[in-house]
Amino acid sequence: MTNITERLAESVPSWGAKVAYGEQTTLNGHEIIPVAVVAFGFGAGEGSGESPDDGKGPAGRGEGSGGGGGGYAVPIGAYVGGPDGLRFRANPIALIIVAAPLVSAIGWALARVIRAGR
């Protein structure tokens, strides 16, 4: 199992740039490069052990292993080429979705600081 996890982890750096910046496209004479926030996670484990004959269950030896992973990409905008050069155009809905947890965490932290100051 460890071998598979190591191979996945080694390939993640090459995925990041390809997923965060999509293929360049031309639309109505403008060059467009999509941009996304990307996150990945992987994990694996294994174990084994002996079970004594203590009357609560059968005696024996057991072992197992498992693993998993996942990731996400949130499109936050695109770089658009025009007469003034390359400019970033944000996707406001995606930015709100990405910013909501951050704003919540800041509000929670400020509330704790204010309560502690009383």
Side-chain angles (χ1 to χ4, degrees), residues 74-118:
V74 178
I76 60 168
Y79 284 104
V80 180
D84 298 335
L86 197 62
R87 299 188 92 148
F88 181 74
R89 299 255 176 115
N91 175 352
I93 294 172
L95 288 177
I96 290 169
I97 291 170
V98 170
L102 179 62
V103 171
S104 296
I106 290 171
W108 179 81
L110 283 174
R112 296 212 27 151
V113 167
I114 291 170
R115 274 192 227 128
R118 290 183 180 178

Side-chain angles (χ1 to χ4, degrees), residues 18-109:
K18 291 177 185 175
V19 176
Y21 299 99
E23 294 294 322
Q24 181 174 333
T25 310
T26 302
L27 182 64
N28 295 332
H30 297 283
E31 300 296 320
I32 299 173
I33 303 170
V35 180
V37 171
V38 180
F40 294 102
F42 298 97
E46 61 182 63
S48 63
E50 299 279 337
S51 177
D53 187 10
D54 59 1
K56 296 180 182 177
R61 176 164 176 74
E63 57 184 63
S65 62
Y72 68 88
V74 178
I76 60 168
Y79 284 104
V80 180
D84 298 335
L86 197 62
R87 299 188 92 148
F88 181 74
R89 299 255 176 115
N91 175 352
I93 294 172
L95 288 177
I96 290 169
I97 291 170
V98 170
L102 179 62
V103 171
S104 296
I106 290 171
W108 179 81

